[in-house]
Amino acid sequence: MKTLLIAALAGVSMLAINSAQAVERGGTLTFARYDDSNLVDPVYADRNPDIWMVTNLYDTLLRTKADGKTIVPGLASGYEVSADGKTISITLRDGIKFSDGSPITAADVKFSLERAVNPDFGPWSGLLGSVESITETKNGVTLSMKNPDPTIISILATFNTAIVSKAAFEAAPGANDQEKATALFAPGTPVSGPFTLKDRTRGSTMTFSANPHYWRQGEDGKPLPYLDEVSFVVIPDDATRILKLQAGEVNGAEFVPFSRVAELKADPAINMELFPSTRIIYAPINARETRADGSPNPMATKEARQALNYATNKGALVQLITHGTGKSMTSPLMASTTQLAHDGGPLYPYDPAKAKELAKSSGLEGAEITLTTLAGSSDDATLFAAIQQMWGAIGVNVKVEQVDNPTRGAKNRSGEFDVHTYGWVNDVNDPAQVAGWLGYYPTRKAVGTGWNNAEFNSLFEASNTEIDPEKRSEQYKRMQEIYRDAAPLLFLYETPFAVALSANVNGYLQTPLGNNEFSSAWIAK
């Protein structure tokens, strides 16, 4: 038996004792959101405003630290993985409770994970597709695997595997699982996370209250959270969110436009935070031999796609669009904050001479390319204007096509595009999700590009059962080398999560996966 036991965190460190006076308890933090949550259930949450709230109400067996990579104990005190990778034994902490004071048991864990595995429930069951069965034990559960799965530990720290109350779920009104989940998104529902839902006015406000039975301890040796409540107000307009913050009507505002970051950084009453994220901005390039209309595709060769990358001044785009808050992509498959990201330096640094040479030798010179952008997006409008000028310098004529988001998605799926804008944020603390989306042909034709590389596909498939960390790292390094050379994307930039807070707010965190973490937030009186 190969043991990967995580020691339970017990007691209070000397550091925590020495810093106990630094934190203050109580009070309400008012947070302005761009959108409301429709359903905060681990299994059915599929929009970012829903997903990013789940871990405030429901805890997972394992957790990720602020870096978005390191996995630490959650409701589980530890786990063991068998030598063949086909048995995962999970041990629960002693004495953990739901918010109503009832114990969190192995039966609740089995029930929750079986919901997460069920392909009839929600969009995330595929993340647990390697699980054959779940068996309840005296102090935890055992997962029997169909095959070794190097992602399984990360998935146990992912929102869709959070633990719900079996008794509360079974007692909830509703004819099926989703109806019961909807009924439980209501005040008074027993939850396993640091907060409970106190009240909610759909589309307008939502209030979380501190869970009096939460297990995790703060710096002062007392249970988290520090706050009594978090009050959410939905304000879709960016400027209005900022005005409310500046007026002291709210304590925090998310999705601050990058154009306002410098201004808010200069305001001594505001703490302007730029949290590292897994958000990448890129543009899929149609790599098929022919376009959708049957005409030859000038972007079919890697040399042509490399030319477009070399012709694009990514540093200038970072300044123009993110106002210097972003940075050029360094891994072709993922953000630099993602596990197994290989930092090869900025991808295709601006080299107009090389771009012109490649454009001429590949037959791209003189081509007309349509850039499909999102209508109403000022970032996309800026990107188009810059690219039109940059690519024009190598003899490529660029025209714009502005569409809504559903149309852009449909064009991606059908291959009826030349190049289009896109973005990505990881949902899972493992590179398999983003690598499968961007590069693995069977998933979605390599993010709709039509690029299909046998070596890449084989490496990706092998990596999904490789439990030797070093071998898996080498597989991912090679996949990134292949993808970089083939250039099925216009590799652009990473952006942070921009959140502005009142200067007296401390400890708030937005993780690289986007989760809003309020459990360690506190307000200086």
Side-chain angles (χ1 to χ4, degrees):
M1 176 76 76
K2 180 182 179 183
T3 300
L4 297 173
L5 185 65
I6 301 177
L9 301 178
V12 183
S13 69
M14 289 305 296
L15 177 62
I17 293 171
N18 292 336
S19 63
Q21 299 304 313
V23 299
E24 297 183 46
R25 287 184 171 267
T28 298
L29 187 152
T30 304
F31 194 81
R33 305 181 72 195
Y34 79 102
D35 196 3
D36 191 22
S37 295
N38 292 337
L39 179 58
V40 181
D41 175 81
V43 168
Y44 293 105
D46 65 351
R47 302 166 57 250
N48 284 341
D50 301 337
I51 293 169
W52 294 353
M53 285 288 125
V54 170
T55 51
N56 289 289
L57 297 179
Y58 296 98
D59 254 19
T60 45
L61 294 167
L62 304 175
R63 302 175 56 249
T64 52
K65 294 181 73 172
D67 63 5
K69 299 180 181 181
T70 308
I71 295 176
V72 295
L75 294 176
S77 60
Y79 64 89
E80 293 180 352
V81 181
S82 63
D84 63 2
K86 296 186 71 174
T87 303
I88 318 291
S89 301
I90 301 163
T91 304
L92 277 180
R93 289 179 180 274
D94 293 330
I96 50 177
K97 298 177 181 179
F98 288 108
S99 56
D100 64 353
S102 61
I104 299 174
T105 68
D108 296 304
V109 174
K110 182 176 188 293
F111 174 79
S112 300
L113 295 184
E114 285 181 342
R115 285 187 73 225
V117 167
N118 194 323
D120 296 329
F121 299 167
W124 304 105
S125 62
L127 297 178
L128 289 161
S130 60
V131 176
E132 181 71 48
S133 63
I134 303 162
T135 305
E136 185 179 338
T137 62
K138 181 180 178 181
N139 58 351
V141 296
T142 298
L143 307 185
S144 297
M145 313 296 291
K146 300 172 187 174
N147 51 260
D149 183 354
T151 73
I152 189 63
I153 301 305
S154 294
I155 300 305
L156 294 174
T158 301
F159 67 93
N160 69 305
T161 61
I163 305 306
V164 302
S165 166
K166 178 183 179 183
F169 212 95
E170 291 179 339
N176 56 46
D177 191 89
Q178 184 159 17
E179 288 182 7
K180 287 178 177 289
T182 302
L184 284 173
F185 186 34
T189 297
V191 294
S192 56
F195 294 94
T196 67
L197 179 60
K198 178 182 179 181
D199 58 55
R200 173 175 177 255
T201 302
R202 188 179 179 90
S204 177
T205 62
M206 181 169 67
T207 304
F208 288 170
S209 292
N211 174 357
H213 298 286
Y214 192 55
W215 64 273
R216 196 154 52 97
Q217 293 195 340
E219 292 182 11
D220 57 2
K222 300 175 183 178
L224 292 173
Y226 300 121
L227 295 166
D228 292 330
E229 293 184 347
V230 182
S231 176
F232 300 100
V233 291
V234 178
I235 305 175
D237 183 71
D238 295 342
T240 304
R241 287 199 304 279
I242 293 170
L243 282 172
K244 294 282 188 182
L245 178 67
Q246 291 172 324
E249 296 178 36
V250 302
N251 305 106
E254 66 179 356
F255 285 96
V256 172
F258 296 129
S259 59
R260 303 290 300 273
V261 166
E263 167 201 347
L264 296 178
K265 273 186 174 291
D267 188 336
I270 291 174
N271 180 16
M272 184 65 240
E273 293 277 10
L274 296 174
F275 293 105
S277 83
T278 54
R279 186 170 185 255
I280 54 176
I281 303 299
Y282 59 90
I285 302 172
N286 192 338
R288 298 167 178 83
E289 288 297 319
T290 59
R291 286 168 157 154
D293 63 5
S295 63
N297 180 10
M299 301 158 292
T301 66
K302 71 175 185 180
E303 289 78 13
R305 300 189 296 271
Q306 289 173 351
L308 296 178
N309 269 285
Y310 279 123
T312 306
N313 189 334
K314 286 73 177 276
L317 294 177
V318 167
Q319 294 300 320
L320 283 168
I321 299 173
T322 79
H323 296 263
T325 62
K327 62 179 183 179
S328 297
M329 289 177 63
T330 55
S331 163
L333 276 175
M334 62 196 79
S336 57
T337 54
T338 307
Q339 288 192 53
L340 305 185
H342 175 64
D343 188 345
L347 301 173
Y348 292 94
Y350 183 51
D351 190 336
K354 191 166 188 176
K356 195 163 189 176
E357 178 186 335
L358 285 167
K360 186 171 184 178
S361 64
S362 67
L364 182 67
E365 188 179 52
E368 182 175 272
I369 291 176
T370 298
L371 177 62
T372 302
T373 65
L374 196 59
S377 168
S378 60
D379 286 356
D380 277 15
T382 302
L383 180 68
F384 166 71
I387 281 180
Q388 187 179 48
Q389 182 178 3
M390 294 170 186
W391 292 3
I394 64 167
V396 174
N397 178 33
V398 186
K399 64 179 184 177
V400 70
E401 175 188 40
Q402 295 180 312
V403 300
D404 60 19
N405 196 42
T407 302
R408 183 175 64 173
K411 283 180 171 288
N412 174 270
R413 289 187 292 274
S414 66
E416 297 177 72
F417 70 94
D418 287 340
V419 183
H420 72 80
T421 57
Y422 237 16
W424 172 274
V425 177
N426 294 355
D427 297 300
V428 180
N429 182 34
D430 188 272
Q433 184 194 27
V434 64
W437 182 257
L438 293 185
Y440 183 57
Y441 185 83
T443 300
R444 184 79 168 267
K445 298 179 181 177
V447 73
T449 63
W451 179 74
N452 191 0
N453 183 278
E455 183 184 1
F456 185 101
N457 294 339
S458 295
L459 282 165
F460 180 75
E461 290 166 358
S463 73
N464 286 336
T465 58
E466 181 54 71
I467 58 175
D468 183 316
E470 291 186 9
K471 290 181 180 178
R472 192 166 187 248
S473 178
E474 284 301 313
Q475 289 166 337
Y476 265 87
K477 183 178 180 182
R478 177 57 185 153
M479 280 191 281
Q480 288 166 85
E481 291 170 348
I482 294 168
Y483 203 73
R484 177 177 182 146
D485 181 62
L489 304 183
L490 184 63
F491 304 112
L492 295 175
Y493 50 85
E494 303 181 21
T495 66
F497 292 126
V499 180
L501 303 158
S502 300
N504 63 340
V505 174
N506 302 273
Y508 167 82
L509 172 69
Q510 189 164 12
T511 73
L513 300 182
N515 298 325
N516 303 114
E517 299 286 352
F518 295 94
S519 59
S520 296
W522 57 278
I523 300 174
K525 308 297 191 293

